[in-house]
Every structure is written in C-alpha cells, then in structure tokens.
Amino acid sequence: MDDEPLKDWAERRDAKIGRLRAVPVVSGDGPRGSHLQPDAPRVIERWNGHAWEPHAFAANLAEAKAILYPVITESAPPGPVPKPLGSGTGKYRKPHAPASDGGGRAQR
C-alpha cells in the first residue's frame, strides 16, 4: 500500500479552502437536488479546511448561482489588434485566378 506523503495531502486539502457550495433548505430527508426545487431558498456554505460553515443566504437557485459563479467581465487587453488574413498562397488557400485578357474562349 502506497501512502501519500503528509505534505502532499495538506497541500491538496488547503487548495480547497474557500470553496463555496449551495445547499437547499428543505425539511427532513426531502430532495436536495437543485433542479428539483429551483425556488427553494439556499444556504451558501464555505469550506474552512475542516467543515462547511454558513457563508451567505440565497432566496432561490438563480440567486445562489449568481453568488457561486459571478460574472467576470474582462476588457480587451491593450496591445496590437490581430490582423485579418491577408493575401497570400498559404498551404490551404486557393490560388488566385490568373488575370484574363477579357476573352477567355474565343467567341465566334
């Protein structure tokens, strides 16, 4: 049996500290799946390294998702703007048609 070094285990455990989860507030052993009661209130719990502790409260599933997965808007990084493909004869590009003298086939 290969035992994991304590140092590796502690690093793996500490990486999870601060993780959030939403738990529906239902009575008894009722359904706990979020898709079963989307309008049920939720308790947002935070992992402290040893146990889940209350962190926030959400009125429904949509509000809980907004807390768990905040929208992060990123602006475009400053710098050069990428250019669209220019002319050229790359490996998969179609060759340009040769310039014609306007006639193509001789007409009779």
Side-chain angles (χ1 to χ4, degrees), residues 12-32:
R12 197 167 34 88
R13 184 198 65 196
D14 291 345
K16 297 177 183 180
I17 293 176
R19 184 173 289 175
L20 299 176
R21 74 175 181 182
V23 179
V25 179
V26 293
S27 61
D29 291 335
R32 293 181 56 107

Side-chain angles (χ1 to χ4, degrees), residues 100-108:
S100 65
D101 54 2
R105 274 189 169 183
Q107 294 187 10
R108 298 182 193 189

Side-chain angles (χ1 to χ4, degrees), residues 77-83:
V81 177
K83 297 179 183 177

Side-chain angles (χ1 to χ4, degrees), residues 46-70:
R46 182 178 181 271
W47 181 250
N48 67 8
H50 301 284
W52 291 98
E53 59 186 14
H55 178 71
F57 179 78
N60 55 30
L61 178 60
E63 192 176 316
K65 284 185 176 183
I67 294 170
L68 294 176
Y69 313 110

